[in-house]
Amino acid sequence: MRTKIVAGNWKMNKTHSETESLLTELSAKRPDTTAEIIVAPTFVNLAAAREQLSDSIIQVAAQNMHFAENGAYTGEISADMLLDIGVETVILGHSERRAHFGETDDLLAKKVKTALNKNMRIIFCFGEELEDRKSGNHFSVVESQLKNALFDLAATAWKGIVLAYEPVWAIGTGETASPEQAQEMHAFIRKAIADNYDGATANSVSILYGGSVKPNNAEDIFSKPDVDGGLIGGASLNCGDFIAIVKAI
Ligand code: PGA
C-alpha cells in the first residue's frame, strides 16, 4: 500500500533561528495522522533540524545532492554527508534546479542512481511548462522526463521513489492545476509505470502533486484517487497553512 505524504519544500527560506521556531511550532501543532510529514529546510540547517526532530514523526529531507561519492565539486553536498546527519530522503529534479541550475534528465538519472545505491529515498520532481500544456504536449513531456531519469531502474528500486508531479506553470504562481487536471496526469503517470513495469509497482508508488497547494484547495486535490499527497512550497513556510494542508490529507 502506498503512503500518503505531505512534504514542505522550504527552498532558500528560513534562517537557523527561524527554522528552529517553525519546527517547534509544527511539532506542537501537528495533528495525529497516518500520513507522513516531511520538511526540507536548507542545507545549513539540516543537521540542527534533524537533531530538533529526533523524537518526532516529522521527517527531514534535503532539497538536492550531488551524484559523486566525494571529491572536487566545490559547493556541493554528497549522499554520505546527508546520511551521516540522519537525512535519508532527498528531493531531486525540482523545476527550479532544472531551470536555474541546468539540471538535465541525464544528470538526474545519475543522482537517482547514487541516492538509490545509498538506500536513500527520493522525492523525484518533474512536470511540464506552460507552453507544453498549451500545445497539448504535457503528457509526452512528462513521460519523457520519467523515461529518461527513471524507467531504466529495476522494478525493485521503485520502493525508494516518491514522485512529485509539479506543473511548472503552477509553482509559486498561485495558479493551481484543477483537481481534475491533477488526477488526469497522476492516472497517466501510474499507467506509464504499469506499462513499463507492472500494476503492482505502479500501485505502490506515492504520487504527490505540487504547485500552489494552499489550505483552500488541498482537500479537493488530495481527494482524487491517484493523488497521494503534496509537495508544498510557499504554504509550507507558515505553520498554520502547512498544518491545515496536513489536516486536509
Ligand atoms: P509552491 O511550490 O507550493 O510555492 O507553488 C511548490 C514547489 O515548488 O515544490
Side-chain angles (χ1 to χ4, degrees):
M1 258 300 279
R2 54 192 196 248
T3 47
K4 303 266 184 201
I5 300 170
V6 178
N9 173 13
W10 293 8
K11 309 190 181 183
M12 197 175 72
N13 293 293
K14 303 286 178 192
T15 60
H16 182 87
S17 59
E18 289 165 350
T19 299
E20 191 178 3
S21 25
L22 180 52
L23 293 179
T24 303
E25 224 187 325
L26 285 174
S27 300
K29 296 191 177 149
R30 73 158 180 82
D32 272 333
T33 171
T34 53
E36 291 186 52
I37 307 172
I38 302 175
V39 291
T42 187
F43 281 125
V44 284
N45 296 320
L46 279 180
R50 189 62 192 80
E51 183 87 0
Q52 191 181 342
L53 296 172
S54 56
D55 294 327
S56 172
I57 60 147
I58 302 177
Q59 302 168 47
V60 176
Q63 297 175 17
N64 180 31
M65 61 166 238
H66 199 269
F67 62 81
E69 186 82 12
N70 54 42
Y73 297 100
T74 302
E76 293 291 327
I77 309 281
S78 74
D80 284 344
M81 292 170 189
L82 296 174
L83 290 168
D84 187 48
I85 56 165
V87 173
E88 296 173 346
T89 301
V90 62
I91 298 171
L92 293 177
H94 192 280
S95 67
E96 287 148 19
R97 301 287 326 162
R98 294 175 190 255
H100 306 312
F101 303 96
E103 295 204 1
T104 60
D105 289 347
D106 286 353
L107 177 79
L108 292 168
K110 287 192 197 175
K111 292 189 179 201
V112 164
K113 289 195 176 71
T114 302
L116 291 173
N117 283 338
K118 297 282 179 183
N119 284 323
M120 294 183 78
R121 182 154 74 147
I122 299 163
I123 300 176
F124 186 83
C125 307
F126 55 96
E128 81 281 2
E129 313 258 349
L130 185 58
E131 307 84 76
D132 302 323
R133 186 158 279 265
K134 281 190 175 153
S135 60
N137 289 331
H138 44 299
F139 293 116
S140 61
V141 166
V142 160
E143 190 167 23
S144 77
Q145 288 172 326
L146 292 174
K147 186 166 166 282
N148 295 340
L150 300 178
F151 280 177
D152 65 339
L153 298 171
T156 50
W158 280 79
K159 65 180 184 314
I161 295 177
V162 170
L163 296 179
Y165 166 61
E166 299 202 304
V168 178
W169 48 271
I171 296 179
T173 58
E175 188 168 340
T176 325
S178 68
E180 291 69 31
Q181 284 173 319
Q183 168 56 28
E184 183 186 37
M185 184 59 90
H186 284 222
F188 172 81
I189 293 162
R190 214 177 288 288
K191 182 168 183 314
I193 301 170
D195 290 347
N196 278 273
Y197 294 91
D198 53 80
T201 304
N203 278 324
S204 67
V205 179
S206 295
I207 308 177
L208 315 184
Y209 168 80
S212 299
V213 177
K214 307 287 177 203
N216 64 1
N217 59 25
E219 201 171 328
D220 285 346
I221 296 171
F222 295 164
S223 70
K224 294 295 175 190
D226 286 297
V227 179
D228 303 306
L231 181 58
I232 320 301
S236 70
L237 299 172
N238 174 282
C239 179
D241 287 351
F242 191 61
I243 292 295
I245 293 170
V246 172
K247 283 184 178 157
I249 200 127

